[in-house]
């Protein structure tokens, strides 16, 4: 099952033109073209709609969220006023699973979600099992003491994920050896390590 999931992720990565996992990145270095028998063929010009749809799918895939979650995040971003695209990314980045990944506690967004769902992650001393939980600035994310000795967390504490993850962004204060991270403040767009033209995503939903 894990291998099938990994193959699907690699295929999706190739279709979207962005590596969603370290394994997909290695595969795409060897085969930098889309999946299927026509993957190497030069494609015709995409329509404006197709370009916006693909950008929305790329953003969704990087956070591993469902369409209804993405749409709800967009609606909330719009209600906040100001720049909707920036608001959208800040909201997605405030998700607990995203911050578990950014802190280096997990290797992929899928693993981060699994750690949360299995109740290994705490926020301000309380177990949270919802990956979509919105972390507020000032709150502390940490691994439950009974989970700290588990192999995945021991690997994380040793910094073994650092080679495949972006540098820890400035809006997180991470004490990796203690498996603890403080969400210091809301992120600025330049700090968020996702590949996305968020204005195209906004145009997709605003159509």
């Amino acid at each position: 099952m894990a291998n099938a999931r990994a193959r699907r992720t690699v295929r999706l990565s190739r279709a979207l033109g962005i590596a969603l996992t370290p394994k997909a990145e290695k595969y795409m270095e060897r085969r930098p073209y889309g999946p299927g028998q026509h993957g190497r063929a030069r494609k015709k010009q995409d329509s404006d709609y197709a370009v916006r749809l693909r950008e929305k799918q790329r953003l969704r895939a990087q956070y591993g969220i469902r369409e209804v979650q993405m749409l709800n995040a967009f609606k909330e971003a719009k209600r906040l006023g100001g720049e909707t695209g920036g608001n959208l990314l800040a909201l997605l980045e405030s998700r607990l699973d995203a911050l578990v990944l950014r802190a280096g506690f997990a290797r992929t967004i899928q693993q981060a979600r699994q750690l949360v769902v299995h109740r290994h992650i705490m926020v301000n001393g309380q177990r949270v099992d919802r990956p979509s939980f919105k972390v507020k600035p000032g709150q502390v994310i940490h691994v439950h003491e009974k989970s700290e000795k588990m192999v995945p967390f021991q690997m994380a504490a040793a910094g073994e994920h650092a080679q495949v993850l972006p540098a820890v962004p400035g809006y997180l204060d991470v004490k990796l050896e203690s498996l603890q991270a403080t969400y210091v403040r809301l992120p600025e767009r330049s700090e968020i390590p996702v590949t996305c033209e968020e204005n195209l995503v906004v145009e997709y939903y605003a159509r």
Side-chain angles (χ1 to χ4, degrees), residues 11-20 28 33-35 54 58 195:
R11 186 174 181 83
L12 179 60
S13 296
R14 293 174 65 197
L16 296 176
I18 182 169
L20 299 172
M28 289 176 69
Y33 47 84
R54 185 166 180 266
R58 280 160 61 104
T195 301

Side-chain angles (χ1 to χ4, degrees), residues 13-163:
S13 296
R14 293 174 65 197
L16 296 176
I18 182 169
L20 299 172
T21 63
K23 188 171 186 176
E25 186 170 9
K26 290 180 181 178
Y27 194 96
M28 289 176 69
E29 286 174 359
R30 298 196 303 270
R31 300 187 179 187
Y33 47 84
Q37 61 177 333
H38 302 299
R40 294 174 188 262
R42 188 173 180 177
K43 296 181 180 179
K44 64 180 182 180
Q45 184 85 22
D46 287 332
S47 67
D48 287 347
Y49 172 79
V51 169
R52 293 173 186 142
L53 172 62
R54 185 166 180 266
E55 201 64 20
K56 185 265 295 183
Q57 290 173 323
R58 280 160 61 104
L59 184 58
R60 256 190 65 198
Q62 286 174 84
Y63 285 99
I65 59 176
R66 301 188 306 275
E67 176 60 29
V68 66
Q69 293 174 303
M70 185 75 161
L71 180 57
N72 287 340
F74 168 76
K75 289 177 179 177
E76 185 176 351
K78 194 172 181 181
R79 282 197 301 269
L80 291 173
E83 189 181 342
T84 302
N87 291 342
L88 175 61
L89 290 183
L91 287 170
L92 294 175
E93 199 64 15
S94 296
R95 288 172 55 98
L96 180 56
D97 55 356
L99 293 174
V100 166
L101 176 64
R102 302 292 180 238
F105 298 169
R107 187 179 175 89
T108 65
I109 192 66
Q110 291 86 358
Q111 185 185 28
R113 177 173 296 104
Q114 202 170 43
L115 296 177
V116 175
V117 169
H118 291 168
R119 296 171 57 83
H120 297 304
I121 304 298
M122 306 180 77
V123 178
N124 279 12
Q126 299 293 319
R127 279 186 170 179
V128 179
D129 58 6
R130 286 189 299 111
S132 62
F133 178 85
K134 186 177 177 183
V135 183
K136 297 180 177 62
Q139 291 187 319
V140 179
I141 302 163
H142 53 111
V143 175
H144 191 279
E145 60 181 13
K146 290 184 178 179
S147 304
E148 290 178 354
K149 301 301 181 185
M150 293 173 58
V151 171
F153 291 120
Q154 287 296 298
M155 292 175 63
E160 292 194 21
H161 301 330
Q163 58 187 334

